[in-house]
Amino acid sequence: WRGEATACAVDGYVCLKQLKPPLKEKLLKLGLLPETFVQKWFAGVCIHHLPYRLLFPFLDGFFAHGNRFLFQFFLAFFDEFENDIMTANSNPEANALIRFESAPEPRLEAVVRSAWEEKYVQKVAAMNFHHERIIAFEENLSRRLQGANEGMWMKQDDEIEFSDEED
C-alpha cells in the first residue's frame, strides 16, 4: 500500500499544478495537501464519499477512461467549487467540502457530468504524465520520503551487542 499512497500523492501534486495559481495557493494555505484527500478520490475511487446515485456514473467514467478520468474529475471539482474554496475560512470548512460532506449533491452531480466535457478531456490528454510525475515527486515528496526513511533506519548502536565485538 505504501507505494500506492505515494503514487496517489504524486498524481495529486500533478493535478494541483493544473489549478489556477490563486486556488492552488489557497489550498496550500489551508493545509489541504493532495496527500490528505487524493487517496480517497483516486485509490478509493470515491466509493466511500460519493452518494451512490453519483458513484455509478463516476465509476462508468473511471472504467471507460481509467486514471485520466480521475484527473478530469479533479479539475472539474475544483472548477465547480473554486469560489467555495477561495472563501473558506478554515481547513475544516474546506476539508468538509473536499470530503463531499458539505458539497451539495446537485453540484457534485454537475462535477461528475462535467468531468466528461471536452475541455477536461483535452486538457488531460495534453499532459505528459511521465514528465509531470517526475517533477511532482522531486518537488514535493522526494526529500520528505528520504528524510522519513533515514529517520526510520537510524538506530543507536549502543543497544545492539554482537558476539564478535570486543569489550
Side-chain angles (χ1 to χ4, degrees):
W1 165 250
R2 190 169 145 188
E4 184 73 20
T6 301
C8 282
V10 168
D11 281 351
Y13 280 104
V14 169
C15 286
L16 189 67
K17 188 176 177 181
Q18 304 303 311
L19 299 179
K20 298 172 190 169
L23 180 56
K24 175 185 171 184
E25 291 166 17
K26 178 69 174 193
L27 286 168
L28 296 175
K29 181 181 174 191
L30 290 169
L32 291 170
L33 303 174
E35 58 266 37
T36 64
F37 64 91
V38 169
Q39 280 86 355
K40 294 171 179 131
W41 289 13
F42 286 17
V45 287
C46 295
I47 286 175
H48 296 290
H49 302 283
L50 278 176
Y52 284 128
R53 72 177 198 82
L54 302 179
L55 180 60
F56 291 103
F58 174 89
L59 290 174
D60 287 344
F62 173 71
F63 289 127
H65 302 285
N67 279 353
R68 291 181 183 270
F69 183 78
L70 301 176
F71 284 80
Q72 292 164 210
F73 177 82
F74 184 102
L75 297 172
F77 178 88
F78 283 105
D79 277 355
E80 175 66 30
F81 289 100
E82 178 178 4
N83 291 334
D84 303 74
I85 295 292
M86 294 303 291
T87 59
N89 294 315
S90 66
N91 174 293
E93 180 184 352
N95 206 16
L97 183 68
I98 287 172
R99 288 190 317 258
F100 312 146
E101 293 170 4
S102 65
E105 195 170 315
R107 291 181 66 195
L108 282 174
E109 183 176 13
V111 170
V112 173
R113 257 195 334 268
S114 67
W116 296 80
E117 290 178 5
E118 195 61 29
K119 68 179 178 178
Y120 299 117
V121 171
Q122 287 182 6
K123 185 168 188 170
V124 171
M127 293 170 65
N128 179 341
F129 283 98
H130 179 71
H131 177 73
E132 294 297 327
R133 285 174 170 145
I134 289 170
I135 292 170
F137 180 78
E138 288 175 354
E139 290 180 353
N140 301 288
L141 297 169
S142 179
R143 276 187 242 123
R144 285 193 299 176
L145 290 173
Q146 183 178 8
N149 285 335
E150 287 171 359
M152 192 171 74
W153 294 110
M154 290 176 59
K155 299 251 184 221
Q156 296 237 345
D157 190 35
D158 297 341
E159 297 176 21
I160 301 173
E161 188 174 314
F162 295 96
S163 61
D164 63 344
E165 286 185 13
E166 293 181 22
D167 290 329

